[in-house]
Amino acid sequence: MDLNKGAAAPPIDPADAEQNKVMAILAYIIFFIPLLAAKESRFAMYHANQGTILFLAGIGLSIVCGLLTIITLGILFFLPMLASLVWLVFAVLGIINAVNGEAKPLPLIGGFQLFQIP
């Protein structure tokens, strides 16, 4: 696991992006499908990396927000909903990038790299 903060987006072949758009979109919905089905695609693997990071960040954010809600005896009841909304916005941004054939990092979390991109 390589947590390279600030990792630049790899150069993407337009033909690869066009062929693997569906896999890149799926990376933000079910992140592991491109990891299994499109290992050779730089475009799909880039978005699979972004989707995996988004998934892990969402889990962490949900746990923290849930704990803060419990600790404050429900005063911050809106935090888990806000965390879900932020996750949804980031997922939509990633899907838009995938549909447009772009390899742009997601805001705040997109600079991390969890696995090797071919």
Side-chain angles (χ1 to χ4, degrees), residues 19-41:
Q19 274 185 322
N20 292 291
K21 260 185 200 178
V22 173
M23 285 295 150
I25 292 167
L26 284 175
Y28 296 98
I29 301 167
I30 307 171
F31 69 91
F32 60 86
I33 289 179
L35 293 174
L36 301 173
K39 293 180 204 176
E40 71 289 341
S41 169

Side-chain angles (χ1 to χ4, degrees), residues 61-83:
L61 190 59
S62 293
I63 291 170
V64 168
C65 289
L67 288 174
L68 285 174
T69 301
I70 291 169
I71 291 170
T72 62
L73 301 174
I75 293 172
L76 300 176
F77 68 92
F78 59 89
L79 280 180
M81 291 180 286
L82 183 62

Side-chain angles (χ1 to χ4, degrees), residues 40-103:
E40 71 289 341
S41 169
R42 180 175 280 231
F43 183 70
M45 291 301 287
Y46 176 79
H47 285 286
N49 181 68
Q50 294 285 290
T52 305
I53 291 168
L54 180 61
F55 174 75
L56 294 173
I59 288 174
L61 190 59
S62 293
I63 291 170
V64 168
C65 289
L67 288 174
L68 285 174
T69 301
I70 291 169
I71 291 170
T72 62
L73 301 174
I75 293 172
L76 300 176
F77 68 92
F78 59 89
L79 280 180
M81 291 180 286
L82 183 62
S84 296
L85 181 62
V86 169
W87 180 89
L88 180 63
V89 168
F90 279 28
V92 168
L93 285 172
I95 290 170
I96 289 170
N97 288 336
V99 167
N100 291 332
E102 298 173 343

